[in-house]
Amino acid sequence: MARPVSLLYRLYERRLLRELDKSVPVPRHVGVITDGNRRWAKEFGATTADGHRAGAEKIVEFLGWCDEIDVDIVTLYVLSKENLARSAEEVEVLIEIISDLVEKIAALKGVRVQLVGDLEILPPGLRARLEAATSAGDCQMRVNVAVGYGGRQEIVNAVKSLLRLRTDEGTDLETIISELSPQQISEHLYTKGQPDPDLIIRSSGEQRLSGFLMWQSAYSEFYFCEAYWPDFRRTDFLRAVRDYGLRQRRFGK
């Protein structure tokens, strides 16, 4: 029975790709909340580490799907600030898996890696390995890896950075306040210089952002999928992109 089902999915994926080729716009920037690794592991009688490893493997596969339809930027939410408060044993496993993952992503052809998050709170070994994997220069796809990330903290850090810059320039506080604008704050975010995400996908059936790109997602489209992240399929991704393309974006209007 497995082979006919697989064949049906392949045929369905081809149909979705044809629809995208014809008239459905593709998001330029896709954000992904890769949720459900631990629940997937529990459901299948595997260890938490197995769940995180399966999730990491899915991320590499997912980037291939994004490249296939010419997505320019992907932002991956892989380690929140709150995740670092989990048990020491789980954090240690996460550190190793994420380090290996970022190195694999950096080795992909045409991919440039950028870290987004508060790197100061990361364990020194993890930070060193992640920073060594970042790259610069021309690329086909930029991959932002959100590690040690908190959406509220990002906004706080952006405001602090802006205030330091303006005061160092000799600007008085009243002038800073009167001239303050959303654009100025955007220029100090972790993703400065990049377009905001067009589409944000979250797996595992949860319908919340969990602090992910709180500022940047103000006008994003959201797609929530029931599948745990390790079970997320190419079909699910193409459905999300098609759904995005069929929506009428209003940007708050």
Side-chain angles (χ1 to χ4, degrees):
M1 289 296 294
R3 292 182 63 185
V5 171
S6 178
L7 176 61
L8 287 174
Y9 272 119
R10 287 199 297 272
L11 292 173
Y12 182 48
E13 287 173 357
R14 288 175 188 171
R15 194 183 96 185
L16 290 171
L17 282 170
R18 284 197 300 270
E19 291 179 16
L20 296 181
D21 286 342
K22 289 181 179 178
S23 58
V24 178
V26 171
R28 181 183 179 190
H29 182 174
V30 176
V32 191
I33 303 173
T34 59
D35 190 29
N37 293 338
R38 295 199 294 178
R39 280 171 284 167
W40 177 88
K42 183 177 180 180
E43 187 170 306
F44 287 94
T47 67
T48 298
D50 290 333
H52 290 313
R53 290 191 184 95
E57 291 173 3
K58 182 61 63 173
I59 285 174
V60 176
E61 191 176 1
F62 176 82
L63 293 176
W65 303 335
C66 291
D67 182 58
E68 183 180 17
I69 63 169
D70 297 325
V71 173
D72 294 330
I73 304 169
V74 179
T75 300
L76 304 164
Y77 198 11
V78 298
L79 183 71
S80 70
K81 184 178 179 181
E82 292 75 17
N83 290 158
L84 292 170
R86 292 179 179 176
S87 70
E89 181 181 1
E90 183 173 354
V91 171
E92 184 178 355
V93 170
L94 275 169
I95 287 172
E96 187 65 27
I97 292 171
I98 291 171
S99 298
D100 291 343
L101 170 65
V102 173
E103 289 169 356
K104 287 180 181 177
I105 294 173
L108 297 174
K109 184 178 180 181
V111 169
R112 184 170 70 187
V113 174
Q114 178 174 325
L115 303 177
V116 294
D118 188 353
L119 303 185
E120 298 292 335
I121 67 173
L122 297 179
L126 172 61
R127 179 176 178 178
R129 286 187 65 182
L130 295 183
E131 289 182 330
T134 58
S135 52
D138 295 333
C139 63
Q140 295 174 339
M141 181 168 61
R142 179 186 305 213
V143 178
N144 299 318
V145 182
V147 287
Y149 180 86
R152 289 179 175 177
Q153 191 61 49
E154 178 181 20
I155 296 170
V156 170
N157 289 348
V159 173
K160 287 180 177 179
S161 174
L162 172 61
L163 290 174
R164 287 193 191 100
L165 176 66
R166 298 302 306 276
T167 54
D168 287 347
E169 292 172 344
T171 308
D172 64 89
L173 182 59
E174 287 303 318
T175 301
I176 294 173
I177 292 172
S178 65
E179 295 179 352
L180 185 63
S181 68
Q183 180 59 35
Q184 286 181 327
I185 293 176
S186 293
E187 290 169 356
H188 290 264
L189 295 172
Y190 300 141
T191 56
K192 57 182 176 291
Q194 301 180 26
D196 291 336
D198 302 296
L199 171 66
I200 293 179
I201 300 171
R202 180 169 187 154
S203 57
S204 86
E206 303 291 348
Q207 298 189 20
R208 58 178 181 270
L209 281 179
S210 298
F212 182 54
L213 300 180
M214 293 174 62
W215 181 280
Q216 299 91 327
S217 66
Y219 301 116
S220 301
E221 299 295 324
F222 301 97
Y223 186 89
F224 301 102
C225 179
E226 292 295 324
Y228 296 138
W229 178 249
D231 285 334
F232 191 80
R233 304 163 301 179
R234 182 169 175 258
T235 302
D236 298 316
F237 172 62
L238 294 176
R239 280 176 177 163
V241 173
R242 181 187 63 178
D243 185 80
Y244 161 83
L246 295 176
R247 297 181 189 180
Q248 183 179 359
R249 302 191 70 190
R250 299 184 182 276
F251 298 96
K253 298 177 182 177

